[in-house]
Amino acid sequence: MDMLSGLAHGAAFIGSNASGLRIAQANPLEHPTWLRFLTTFNYEIGKRVFEHKGPLPGWIPEMVPVTWFVILVLCLTVIIAGRKLRLRNPGHFQLALEFIVTTLEGFVRNIVGDREAKVITPIIGTTFIFILCCSLIGIVPGFISPTSNTNTTVALALMAFFFVQYMAISRLGFLTYAKHFLGEPIWLAPLMLPLHIVGELARPLSLSIRLFGNIFGEETVVGVLILIVTVILGNVLIPLQFPMVLFAVFGALVQSLVFSMLVSIYIAVALAGHEEHQ
Amino acid sequence: MSPVVALILAIGFGVPIAVIGGALGQGRAAGSALEGIARQPEAAGKIQTAMIIGLALIESLVIYALLISLILLFMGVPSAEKLLQAVSKVK
C-alpha cells in the first residue's frame, strides 16, 4: 500500500511541471512509512479531507521516527544480549556480539594505534553500526533510510568533527594543537592558517555529502527502476530493481566503513602529526 | 534556448562528465592496488584499506557534481521558471 502511494508520488513528480515542486519534497521517491501514524498529516477518503493527529507535528520528516526505531532496536538488542553474559559457555548471541566488538576494535587499533584504541572504539564502532543499520533499513519495504536525508548525515558528521577536535585538544593540549594550524615555517602562518582551517571545515562537509549522496543515489535508482517497471509493464511485476538492492547492501556496508575509517584516520593524523614534530 | 532548457541540459550532462573522470581515476586506483596485491599478497590488508580510502575520496568529488545537479534541479529550475514568468509579465 505504501509502495503504491510512493509510486503515485513518483509518477506525479515525473509527470508534473517542475515549478509545482516544493523544496521540502527534495526526495521525489520519499514514501510513507509504517511509523506514519506518529506524525500529523492530511488524507483524503473520497472527496473529504481528514486530519490525522499524531504526537509529532507535521513538519517533522518521517525519517525521525525511523531513526528512533533504529535506535530502539539497537538498544533493545544490546540490553537483552547484555543481561546474560557468561564467561564460561557463552551463548551464540553473546559470541556474535563479541565477534562484532572484537572486529571493530581491531579495525580501530590498526589505524589509531594501541594507546587510544580503547577510548575511540566505542564511538567509532557505534557510529559504524548506527550508519549501517540506518542505511540498511531503507531496503525493508515500508521504511526509508534516515541516511538518505542530509539532516542525519550532517548531524553525524558534525558529531565526528567535534569528536576529532576534542581528541586532538585533550591529547595534545590547546596550544600545541593551535600551533599545528600555523604550519611549519612560522613566517608562512598567514598563508597556512586559512588553508588549515578550511581544510578542517571541509572534512565534515565531505563526510556528510558522501554518505548522503551514496545512500540517496541508491534509493533513487531502486525507486526509479520500480517506477519504470510499473509505468511500462503495468500490472506485470518484474523485480528489475533486485540487483540494485543487492548493490545497495554492499554500498551501505562500504559507506559506513568509509565514514568510520575516515574519522579514525582524522584522529590518527591529528595525534601522529604531533609526535613527528617533537 | 530558454534558461530552463539550458539548466536541464546542465543537470543531465553535469553528472556524466564528472563520472567519466571519477571512473578513470577509480579504475587506475583499483588496478594499481590489484597489481600491488598480486606482487605482495601479504600486504593485501593495508593496500585494501588505502585503496578504499582513495576510492572514497575520488567518489566524493563525483558526488559533489551530483549535489550540484540536485541543487540545480530542486532550486534552480523553479526559480528560473519564476524568473521567466516575471519577465513575461513585465513584457
Side-chain angles (χ1 to χ4, degrees):
Chain A
M1 184 61 200
D2 70 83
M3 189 56 81
L4 283 180
S5 57
L7 287 174
H9 196 151
F13 165 68
I14 286 180
S16 74
N17 191 352
S19 65
L21 278 176
R22 283 182 292 121
I23 295 168
Q25 299 173 337
N27 186 349
L29 296 164
E30 198 170 286
H31 56 80
T33 66
W34 298 119
L35 301 173
R36 183 153 219 204
F37 65 92
L38 287 174
T39 57
T40 304
F41 60 93
N42 293 329
Y43 59 100
E44 283 180 35
I45 296 176
K47 292 199 169 173
R48 293 178 63 191
V49 179
F50 298 93
E51 190 188 28
H52 174 82
K53 282 292 249 184
L56 295 175
W59 51 267
I60 287 189
E62 278 175 58
M63 60 128 208
V64 176
V66 173
T67 316
W68 291 345
F69 179 72
V70 171
I71 295 171
L72 193 71
V73 167
L74 286 177
C75 286
L76 283 182
T77 311
V78 178
I79 288 172
I80 290 173
R83 274 170 125 187
K84 291 180 277 182
L85 290 181
R86 278 177 297 185
L87 202 57
R88 278 161 201 242
N89 195 10
H92 298 290
F93 208 31
Q94 185 187 346
L95 279 177
L97 288 184
E98 278 180 5
F99 169 74
I100 294 173
V101 172
T102 325
T103 315
L104 286 173
E105 194 178 0
F107 163 74
V108 174
R109 196 182 290 274
N110 268 341
I111 299 171
V112 183
D114 289 338
R115 210 176 48 181
E116 304 291 347
K118 273 217 170 352
V119 187
I120 294 172
T121 306
I123 291 185
I124 301 286
T126 315
T127 316
F128 174 81
I129 295 171
F130 180 68
I131 294 175
L132 184 62
C133 293
C134 280
S135 310
L136 285 182
I137 202 170
I139 295 171
V140 180
F143 283 106
I144 49 175
S145 297
T147 38
S148 69
N149 190 315
T150 26
N151 297 306
T152 313
T153 59
V154 166
L156 283 166
L158 277 181
M159 188 207 73
F161 172 74
F162 285 117
F163 179 57
V164 172
Q165 305 302 315
Y166 164 74
M167 282 304 291
I169 291 175
S170 70
R171 293 299 181 273
L172 305 179
F174 183 74
L175 281 181
T176 328
Y177 182 58
K179 208 185 282 172
H180 162 73
F181 274 81
L182 294 181
E184 194 41 50
I186 196 67
W187 49 270
L188 267 180
L191 191 64
M192 298 306 278
L193 186 64
L195 212 61
H196 275 129
I197 290 176
V198 169
E200 201 75 21
L201 290 181
R203 283 169 171 181
L205 181 75
S206 79
L207 273 181
S208 57
I209 297 300
R210 180 183 303 119
L211 187 58
F212 159 72
N214 274 287
I215 306 297
F216 174 78
E218 278 155 7
E219 288 221 322
T220 311
V221 168
V222 170
V224 167
L225 284 177
I226 296 173
L227 203 65
I228 285 172
V229 169
T230 48
V231 167
I232 293 178
L233 296 176
N235 289 328
V236 187
L237 293 179
I238 297 172
L240 192 67
Q241 79 280 13
F242 185 64
M244 281 317 292
V245 172
L246 291 185
F247 188 73
V249 175
F250 172 71
L253 198 63
V254 167
Q255 287 313 311
S256 45
L257 189 72
V258 161
F259 190 97
S260 45
M261 190 184 275
L262 279 177
V263 176
S264 34
I265 283 176
Y266 293 155
I267 295 172
V269 166
L271 293 184
H274 172 64
E275 282 160 13
E276 283 171 14
H277 285 306
Q278 276 191 339
Chain B
M1 192 191 293
S2 83
V4 177
V5 174
L7 261 178
I8 287 173
L9 281 180
I11 293 163
F13 278 105
V15 178
I17 289 173
V19 163
I20 291 172
L24 287 177
Q26 288 202 337
R28 281 193 63 158
S32 311
L34 282 181
E35 269 178 24
I37 292 175
R39 209 168 286 166
Q40 268 193 321
E42 63 269 19
K46 281 186 178 178
I47 292 176
Q48 266 176 1
T49 311
M51 182 188 77
I52 287 176
I53 294 165
L55 292 188
L57 291 179
I58 296 168
E59 198 180 63
S60 67
L61 299 179
V62 181
I63 287 175
Y64 291 156
L66 174 73
L67 181 77
I68 291 172
S69 282
L70 288 180
I71 290 174
L72 286 182
L73 182 62
F74 291 122
M75 297 175 181
V77 174
S79 55
E81 288 198 336
K82 266 182 207 163
L83 196 70
L84 279 188
Q85 286 171 1
V87 169
S88 61
K89 270 181 196 168
V90 169
K91 277 178 185 173

